Amino acid sequence: RFRKGDREAECQGALVWSYNDCWGENGWTIIDHYVRRKASYYWFRRAAAPVKVLVRSRDGQLVTRVVNDTLQPYQAEVRCGWVRLDGNGREWQKHSVTIPANGMIEVARAPIPSPTQRNPREWLYAATLMGEGIPNDQAIWLLAPHRELAMAKPGLSTNVQNGVLEVSSPVYCHGVHIEDEGHEVMTDNYFELLPGIKRR
């Protein structure tokens, strides 16, 4: 989807290889035999959102784009930049954009830093998307695998109002989820929390 409308290498779409298990097993599906949503269901749902912010590595740079698979344009705000995992640093750029109908817009490029410029265990690159008529979205690019990150102890804060659960943390948290045994249909679960950014 990142390459939608790309003049250099156009490609678009998504393919679901295996949607549900036909018997009780550990499989590649996103829905199990008992119609419970697996963690991958939510990851795929976010990846296939009609309007999506994406960050990818290209030619030594991190490129932020927004893709729109709907037939109407949207006005939105994209914030992108470097974030410390412990929440003690954020270098954001704010962009007001018009996302064309059935199109893609490139928002920003940032050089991938060397380990001496930014410790890959302590920093990540992120982009967030907010706009009227589209769900809030985010994209995260890690400079090191999760197992190597200097993860701070999570400090989750929650608030429930009118059936909506709001979650936040002062530090980066990976794989935050509400244990529902896969029975509930939530708008999101198994997500990444960026420091100081609320998730509903």
Side-chain angles (χ1 to χ4, degrees), residues 1-174:
R1 297 188 67 200
F2 175 82
R3 289 160 49 190
K4 180 182 180 113
D6 191 319
R7 289 175 291 186
E8 296 176 26
E10 182 165 12
C11 181
Q12 54 188 292
L15 173 67
V16 181
W17 174 253
S18 193
Y19 179 73
N20 66 321
D21 289 325
C22 56
W23 58 81
E25 62 164 340
N26 287 326
W28 297 345
T29 65
I30 60 176
I31 304 282
D32 76 7
H33 174 69
Y34 304 100
V35 198
R36 295 177 299 200
R37 287 145 192 86
K38 299 182 184 181
S40 55
Y41 169 87
Y42 293 98
W43 288 86
F44 180 78
R45 183 176 175 171
R46 286 190 296 272
V51 181
K52 176 84 184 134
V53 65
L54 299 155
V55 174
R56 295 290 181 271
S57 170
R58 208 179 235 191
D59 302 323
Q61 295 184 312
L62 294 176
V63 180
T64 302
R65 293 178 174 176
V66 181
V67 64
N68 179 4
D69 288 339
T70 74
L71 298 180
Q72 71 177 82
Y74 287 98
Q75 301 293 320
E77 180 181 283
V78 176
R79 294 183 184 193
C80 51
W82 297 101
V83 179
R84 274 187 62 104
L85 276 65
D86 62 8
N88 289 325
R90 181 183 299 168
E91 298 168 18
W92 285 118
Q93 296 175 346
K94 188 163 65 170
H95 306 270
S96 295
V97 299
T98 300
I99 314 158
N102 194 29
M104 176 272 291
I105 184 169
E106 187 168 304
V107 179
R109 287 179 176 247
I112 297 175
S114 70
T116 55
Q117 293 172 308
R118 279 190 203 278
N119 186 334
R121 298 182 67 242
E122 297 175 353
W123 289 88
L124 59 78
Y125 189 86
T128 62
L129 172 71
M130 292 177 284
E132 176 123 12
I134 53 176
N136 291 355
D137 190 31
Q138 67 185 27
I140 294 171
W141 187 270
L142 299 175
L143 298 172
H146 277 104
R147 68 181 178 275
E148 296 176 11
L149 297 180
M151 301 285 279
K153 184 177 180 181
L156 297 178
S157 299
T158 60
N159 181 34
V160 179
Q161 196 168 12
N162 300 324
V164 176
L165 173 65
E166 188 175 78
V167 186
S168 63
S169 170
V171 301
Y172 168 70
C173 296
H174 170 67

